[in-house]
């Protein structure tokens, strides 16, 4: 069982920055593709970013490209999402996710999910 715990959410003004963290308890962290998803009120959950096991490749939703950066530390068993130039439309509950397969994460069907951390961007 993979446990994921997000942190770092909060309230920020438009144009500001936040860094989300997702810590895991799994001993084989480097065997999992990690991703971030988000769900805004009244909307479906959507893909934000993902990073491969070694961290050599990353993928982003068009809406966050050039503003968000996903990274991972395979020693600390942690994945990060650096968010800059935040917009009110980035307001959502942000979820960390993990799966052994990249395709599964990109399809929005990872096996493991965190509880989420709230990000609110004021205008």
């Amino acid at each position: 069982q993979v446990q994921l715990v997000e942190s770092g959410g909060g309230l920020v003004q438009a144009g500001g920055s936040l860094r989300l963290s997702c810590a895991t308890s799994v001993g084989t962290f480097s065997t999992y593709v990690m991703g971030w998803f988000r769900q805004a009120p009244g909307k479906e959950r959507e893909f934000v970013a993902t990073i491969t096991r070694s961290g050599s490749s990353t993928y982003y939703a068009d809406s966050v490209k050039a503003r968000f950066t996903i990274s991972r530390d395979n020693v600390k068993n942690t994945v990060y999402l650096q968010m800059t130039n935040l917009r009110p439309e980035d307001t959502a509950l942000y979820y960390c996710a993990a799966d052994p397969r990249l395709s599964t994460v990109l399809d929005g069907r990872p096996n493991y999910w965190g509880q989420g951390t709230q990000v609110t961007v004021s205008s």
Side-chain angles (χ1 to χ4, degrees), residues 74-91:
N74 284 351
V75 173
K76 294 183 178 179
N77 287 4
T78 302
V79 63
Y80 305 96
L81 186 67
Q82 178 69 49
M83 305 185 293
T84 63
N85 192 21
L86 282 160
R87 305 166 180 168
E89 53 265 38
D90 294 318
T91 294

Side-chain angles (χ1 to χ4, degrees), residues 32-98:
Y32 288 88
V33 175
M34 301 299 297
W36 288 95
F37 292 76
R38 66 186 182 186
Q39 186 168 20
K43 295 187 177 181
E44 292 187 355
R45 186 156 52 190
E46 63 176 3
F47 167 78
V48 174
T50 189
I51 187 167
T52 54
R53 299 175 195 85
S54 67
S56 59
S57 295
T58 56
Y59 303 85
Y60 297 92
D62 288 342
S63 59
V64 307
K65 277 181 183 176
R67 299 189 299 122
F68 290 11
T69 302
I70 188 171
S71 62
R72 66 189 295 161
D73 186 329
N74 284 351
V75 173
K76 294 183 178 179
N77 287 4
T78 302
V79 63
Y80 305 96
L81 186 67
Q82 178 69 49
M83 305 185 293
T84 63
N85 192 21
L86 282 160
R87 305 166 180 168
E89 53 265 38
D90 294 318
T91 294
L93 189 60
Y94 282 72
Y95 296 92
C96 176

Side-chain angles (χ1 to χ4, degrees), residues 97-111:
D99 196 276
R101 300 181 62 181
L102 176 61
S103 60
T104 308
V105 177
L106 291 173
D107 286 344
R109 299 178 292 108
N111 277 329

